Amino acid sequence: MSFGRILTAMVTPMNECLEVDYEEAKHLALHLVEHGNDGIVVAGTTGESPTISTEEKIELFKVVKETVGSRAVVIAGIGSNTTEASVTLAKKAAAVGVDGLMAVVPYYNKPSQEGLYQHFRKIAAATPLPLMLYNIPSRSSVNMLPETVLRLSEIPNITALKEACGMMDQVSELKRILPENFAMYSGDDSQTLPMLALGCTGIISVAGHVIGDEMRSMLDAWFAGDTQTALKWHLKLLPMFKGIFVTTNPVPIKYLLKYHGIKAGGVRLPLVDAIEKEKAFLDDLYRQIKG
């Protein structure tokens, strides 16, 4: 199942006291829908999921879905390194009307491939909602192998994968063995075009917060068969794709949202805000791309 071609993993806006700013979350959600996005992932890791509470997540799911309605799909980030916690959150997310779920490979625990299978199988069984898997070995320390994804794809409501392994051979193997209707998304903005070339569906983006329209132009060109224009967009946007990781995500993208009138606020510890050198770099980067 495809959730669309461009979804942004939304940051969680916070006020000066680092409380979740739900009004600004509504503002940001509308901004994303109006600038190239087919959907929004709420309370994923870009949304600081490890440091926001279950109650805050549920309220975010509710207000974002109420705000965008049928204009975009809303995917609830319900992943954690505790299976039971993910199951509980999945049920609560389903109750507030989200369109789907996304769960990251458990971090720190280092489960086996069988452990990964059982983890995601149990989450999928918790609700009838479509579930997107999220593989990001650089953050979780475990790489979910293609054979495990294939097993999971046999579960009817596991319908998609966000793949951020960074290895095109692994992406190729996934496309080779997975059912044709199983959607696969790049989990890294800079890998979007290479993964489209391998037959993938689209991108779960961070850069889409600030260059959603430009990314839409790149994907539209690709799917229209205009590969040269898509390549030109990729090369133009590449500095932004890479530069927004000058320090830990989501610190840079929260900073850059000021250019779009979004008060994204700071980040909760153990993350810290960008330092002046990083801010100067990001300001120059934004002017370079958008100027």
Side-chain angles (χ1 to χ4, degrees), residues 8-167:
T8 287
M10 193 180 90
V11 303
T12 298
M14 297 190 183
N15 63 22
E16 292 181 357
C17 298
L18 294 182
E19 299 163 333
V20 175
D21 188 334
Y22 298 105
E23 288 303 312
E24 203 62 18
K26 296 177 186 178
H27 184 195
L28 175 54
L30 288 174
H31 163 79
L32 294 174
V33 171
E34 291 164 0
H35 292 280
N37 286 275
D38 301 309
I40 303 168
V41 177
V42 180
T45 45
T46 296
E48 299 176 70
S49 58
T51 57
I52 59 176
S53 70
T54 296
E55 293 72 25
E56 289 169 327
K57 291 173 184 177
I58 295 301
E59 188 65 16
L60 278 168
F61 301 153
K62 180 181 177 182
V63 300
V64 171
K65 186 57 190 175
E66 288 176 349
T67 299
V68 303
S70 61
R71 297 175 64 187
V73 296
V74 174
I75 309 299
I78 54 88
S80 73
N81 61 352
T82 306
T83 305
E84 290 303 325
S86 294
V87 166
T88 298
L89 187 54
K91 292 176 179 177
K92 291 181 177 180
V96 300
V98 300
D99 302 293
L101 308 171
M102 186 173 78
V104 69
V105 166
Y107 39 87
Y108 191 81
N109 312 56
K110 299 188 75 171
S112 66
Q113 295 298 307
E114 181 62 23
L116 293 178
Y117 175 79
Q118 295 297 339
H119 172 78
F120 288 115
R121 182 192 63 80
K122 192 161 187 179
I123 294 171
T127 84
L129 286 176
L131 173 64
M132 181 185 298
L133 313 172
Y134 179 17
N135 186 40
I136 181 164
S138 64
R139 292 279 191 141
S140 66
S141 80
V142 173
N143 180 26
M144 185 162 55
L145 298 177
E147 294 78 10
T148 304
V149 179
L150 177 60
R151 288 181 69 197
L152 288 165
S153 73
E154 296 169 358
I155 298 171
N157 63 323
I158 296 182
T159 62
L161 169 68
K162 177 184 177 183
E163 180 58 81
C165 68
M167 297 178 285

Side-chain angles (χ1 to χ4, degrees), residues 113 135-137 142-147 149 161-178 184 195 198 200:
Q113 295 298 307
N135 186 40
I136 181 164
V142 173
N143 180 26
M144 185 162 55
L145 298 177
E147 294 78 10
V149 179
L161 169 68
K162 177 184 177 183
E163 180 58 81
C165 68
M167 297 178 285
M168 291 304 102
D169 281 355
Q170 179 160 312
V171 174
S172 297
E173 178 65 7
L174 284 160
K175 287 301 298 180
R176 188 184 73 82
I177 66 175
L178 287 171
M184 183 154 54
M195 288 183 64
L198 291 172
C200 293

Side-chain angles (χ1 to χ4, degrees), residues 167-225:
M167 297 178 285
M168 291 304 102
D169 281 355
Q170 179 160 312
V171 174
S172 297
E173 178 65 7
L174 284 160
K175 287 301 298 180
R176 188 184 73 82
I177 66 175
L178 287 171
E180 190 172 337
N181 64 347
F182 191 88
M184 183 154 54
Y185 292 85
S186 173
D188 186 332
D189 287 297
S190 67
Q191 298 292 323
T192 304
L193 191 60
M195 288 183 64
L196 290 177
L198 291 172
C200 293
T201 306
I203 173 68
I204 311 293
S205 180
V206 175
H209 284 91
V210 295
I211 53 170
D213 291 324
E214 293 86 345
M215 295 182 71
R216 169 61 64 182
S217 295
M218 180 178 76
L219 268 75
D220 284 351
W222 173 265
F223 284 105

Side-chain angles (χ1 to χ4, degrees), residues 241-274:
F241 294 158
K242 306 301 286 188
I244 55 173
F245 294 92
V246 66
T247 188
T248 307
N249 182 49
V251 174
I253 207 69
K254 275 193 155 185
Y255 175 76
L256 286 175
L257 276 166
K258 68 178 184 177
Y259 286 106
H260 296 266
I262 307 292
K263 298 175 182 177
V267 289
R268 290 178 177 173
L269 288 169
L271 300 183
V272 294
D273 293 338

